[in-house]
Amino acid sequence: MVDLHLRENAACGECRAPHLHVCHRPGNPNRAEAKSKHPWRVEHGIVTGGLIKRVSPAMVHTYFEYLTTEYPRGAGHGMLLVQLHGADTGQPWAPVGARRMLGRAGKRAGLGIVKPHAFRHSFTSAVLDAANGNLLIARDAGGWASAAMVDEVYGHVDVHDPVFDAALRTIWGETK
């Protein structure tokens, strides 16, 4: 949880807004490891470096509500997602636990199979649309390695865009 800097002007000084640091850590108790391997360190209990990602106000609210109402007291491992019931209460979830939970929730909601990676794709598409196609904003918001990758995977024109329509009509020799 030391990677979560969920307040303005956190002590790391690397982002003014609430954010988190994605840090590759071999040896986590739940065996989870971030794919990104940006350099990071802990100094005086403060994480710096890693891949810095801003967080939404809704995430901050949900985090504090979860910690104050559900998170088991005394879980000394620092992992955020933990087993809330049963013999392993307080133990960190392994990545497979999160995937299985989302799968069950998707089936119950009638959505079919829901995979965690789909969130990254839907988020990037939404940011790209909201940023009017700005690949750099979508790259940084989604934590992608390159804008070219975002363009190759998500770059698409809105077929209803008036500029797109006008371009086609010009090529077709039509006037609007």
Side-chain angles (χ1 to χ4, degrees):
M1 288 192 250
V2 296
D3 304 343
L4 305 174
H5 296 169
L6 304 182
R7 62 182 175 80
E8 300 282 331
N9 299 313
C12 69
E14 295 183 287
C15 181
R16 289 188 310 265
H19 62 280
L20 60 87
H21 297 256
V22 178
C23 302
H24 176 81
R25 280 193 176 90
N28 271 335
N30 62 354
R31 298 176 307 284
E33 295 181 10
K35 282 198 283 185
S36 67
K37 295 180 180 167
H38 298 274
W40 63 277
R41 68 178 189 268
V42 178
E43 234 176 76
H44 307 294
I46 299 167
V47 173
T48 58
L51 175 63
I52 297 170
K53 299 187 75 137
R54 294 214 14 214
V55 298
S56 71
M59 181 190 164
V60 174
H61 174 77
T62 301
Y63 169 79
F64 284 109
E65 182 177 349
Y66 169 64
L67 279 187
T68 58
T69 62
E70 297 179 67
Y71 195 81
R73 298 196 190 282
H77 46 66
M79 307 272 52
L80 180 60
L81 298 177
V82 298
Q83 187 69 32
L84 295 176
H85 305 285
D88 291 327
T89 297
Q91 292 303 307
W93 274 10
V96 70
R99 285 191 294 273
R100 287 180 182 162
M101 184 275 305
L102 282 171
R104 288 190 305 273
K107 286 179 186 174
R108 278 189 225 123
L111 301 173
I113 297 173
V114 175
K115 296 185 178 186
H117 198 71
F119 294 119
R120 182 175 190 202
H121 291 284
S122 61
F123 177 77
T124 301
S125 291
V127 169
L128 191 58
D129 288 344
N132 294 321
N134 187 314
L135 296 171
L136 295 177
I137 291 173
R139 177 201 66 195
D140 290 350
W144 292 91
S146 72
M149 173 61 83
V150 173
D151 189 31
E152 289 173 22
V153 176
Y154 303 101
H156 60 279
V157 69
D158 176 359
V159 295
H160 304 291
D161 184 315
V163 175
F164 180 74
D165 184 68
L168 288 178
R169 289 182 187 279
T170 299
I171 297 302
W172 294 336
E174 296 179 7
T175 58
K176 192 170 181 182

